[in-house]
């Protein structure tokens, strides 16, 4: 009898370890086995996650709803398009997503006659779903911090079928000292709703990725929007003070941890 109990306990040990691992991460760990295959439940979960990721890439960008939500918290916006005329072209031609359509470039250039401290761009990127879920909560936390610091903010610019670098052109047209690009990150099988924020000081067409700072995995299951806003505010302050961004601007973890504790 005692041997039977010991054998049953030993059989449960892998299951218990798997539960401990899965409680700590959304990653696909401890999936278990049925013979030489995965359990049917895990196969179905994988198929569902893959479908969510595909849907996020092809989801329509609901600019109107986002613009209304921004207006409700007292901030204006403008909508433009990249040079990619449709979603399939955007996916096949990343270069077109990095610049504005010609007519929208002219319209945006005429919109702002005086410079601003901060330009904010909201782009669908590779997951409009991430933007729909996280952009407004992030901005609702960030905008009061920017205003409290006495920084001027241009209209939030929504860009359809856009890549990160489109923010350089928009920031230059708005004559912004610094641009923040909120963009849907490439969906993974554990998260289809992850938002990224890219900060570039002195935005101009031709800036390299090494000249940007990035805050990634902004979502409820990752870095929650209010804390991401505090991290972004620290980077904004330091970028403007030092007049640089990218690899030359390192995050000081103690400062960020302190900001999180205060929040």
């Amino acid at each position: 009898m005692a041997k039977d109990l010991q054998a049953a306990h030993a059989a449960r040990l892998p299951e218990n370890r798997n539960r401990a691992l899965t409680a700590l991460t959304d990653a696909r760990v401890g999936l278990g086995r049925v013979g030489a295959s995965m359990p049917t439940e895990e196969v179905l979960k994988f198929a569902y996650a893959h479908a969510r990721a595909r849907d996020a890439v092809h989801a329509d960008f609901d600019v109107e709803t986002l613009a209304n939500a921004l207006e409700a918290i007292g901030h204006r916006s403008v909508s433009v398009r990249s040079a990619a005329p449709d979603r399939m072209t955007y996916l096949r031609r990343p270069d077109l997503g990095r610049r504005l359509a010609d007519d929208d470039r002219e319209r945006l250039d005429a919109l702002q006659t005086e410079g601003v401290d901060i330009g904010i761009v909201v782009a669908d990127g590779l997951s409009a779903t991430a933007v729909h879920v996280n952009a407004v909560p992030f901005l609702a936390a960030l905008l009061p911090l920017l205003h409290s610091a006495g920084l001027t903010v241009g209209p939030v610019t929504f860009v359809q079928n856009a890549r990160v670098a489109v923010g350089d052109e928009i920031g230059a047209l708005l004559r912004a000292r610094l641009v923040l690009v909120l963009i849907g990150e490439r969906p993974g099988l554990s998260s289809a709703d992850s938002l990224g924020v890219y900060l570039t000081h002195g935005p101009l067409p031709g800036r390299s990725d090494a000249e940007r700072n990035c805050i990634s995995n902004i979502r409820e299951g990752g870095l929650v929007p209010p804390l991401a806003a505090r991290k972004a505010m620290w980077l904004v302050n330091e970028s403007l003070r030092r007049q640089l961004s990218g690899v030359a601007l390192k995050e000081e973890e103690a400062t960020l941890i302190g900001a999180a504790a205060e929040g």
Side-chain angles (χ1 to χ4, degrees):
M1 184 68 175
K3 289 183 178 180
D4 290 341
L5 289 175
Q6 288 176 351
H9 177 68
R12 285 197 301 269
L13 280 177
E15 180 182 349
N16 292 338
R17 292 195 189 101
N18 290 348
R19 286 177 182 168
L21 286 173
T22 56
L24 297 173
T25 177
D26 290 333
R28 301 190 119 64
V29 296
L31 301 182
R33 297 177 64 181
V34 177
S37 303
M38 290 192 301
T40 300
E41 180 182 4
E42 295 301 334
V43 173
L44 294 175
K45 286 180 178 179
F46 180 89
Y48 174 66
H50 189 260
R52 285 189 68 217
R54 288 178 60 88
D55 286 348
V57 170
H58 294 284
D60 291 333
F61 192 21
D62 188 359
V63 171
E64 183 178 357
T65 297
L66 291 170
N68 289 338
L70 270 183
E71 186 177 354
I73 61 175
H75 203 80
R76 61 194 174 115
S77 64
V78 61
S79 177
V80 296
R81 297 163 296 127
S82 78
D86 54 61
R87 196 64 179 170
M88 292 311 298
T89 304
Y90 165 78
L91 294 173
R92 292 170 179 154
R93 291 283 306 276
D95 58 309
L96 295 180
R98 298 186 183 112
R99 56 186 177 87
L100 290 171
D102 291 339
D103 54 344
D104 283 324
R105 182 185 304 108
E106 294 172 4
R107 185 162 65 91
L108 200 58
D109 190 30
L111 184 67
Q112 192 71 251
T113 56
E114 297 181 2
V116 295
D117 293 315
I118 311 296
I120 296 177
V121 175
V122 178
D124 49 2
L126 289 170
S127 176
T129 301
V131 181
H132 296 158
V133 173
N134 299 299
V136 172
F138 174 82
L139 290 174
L142 178 65
L143 288 169
L145 298 177
L146 295 173
H147 294 148
S148 295
L151 298 172
T152 57
V153 182
V156 172
T157 306
F158 292 104
V159 195
Q160 188 175 14
N161 293 328
R163 305 278 176 172
V164 173
V166 78
D168 297 334
E169 186 174 11
I170 293 171
L173 290 170
L174 294 179
R175 301 162 183 84
R177 296 170 61 197
L178 180 151
V179 69
L180 293 171
V181 178
L182 284 58
I183 192 166
E185 296 182 321
R186 185 186 303 276
L189 292 176
S190 59
S191 63
D193 60 349
S194 178
L195 183 76
V197 174
Y198 291 80
L199 176 151
T200 308
H201 184 272
L204 289 170
R207 290 289 192 198
S208 72
D209 288 340
E211 296 174 284
R212 314 186 200 286
N213 292 85
C214 176
I215 304 172
S216 64
N217 197 33
I218 300 172
R219 60 189 183 94
E220 284 301 322
L223 181 64
V224 294
L227 181 54
R230 298 297 293 269
K231 285 174 67 89
M233 191 64 210
W234 185 89
L235 286 170
V236 165
N237 283 331
E238 290 303 301
S239 179
L240 292 176
R241 183 175 71 85
R242 304 182 195 182
Q243 300 185 48
L244 51 81
S245 59
V247 295
L249 177 59
K250 304 295 185 183
E251 293 185 10
E252 295 173 9
E253 198 62 32
T255 303
L256 297 175
I257 290 172
E262 291 173 11

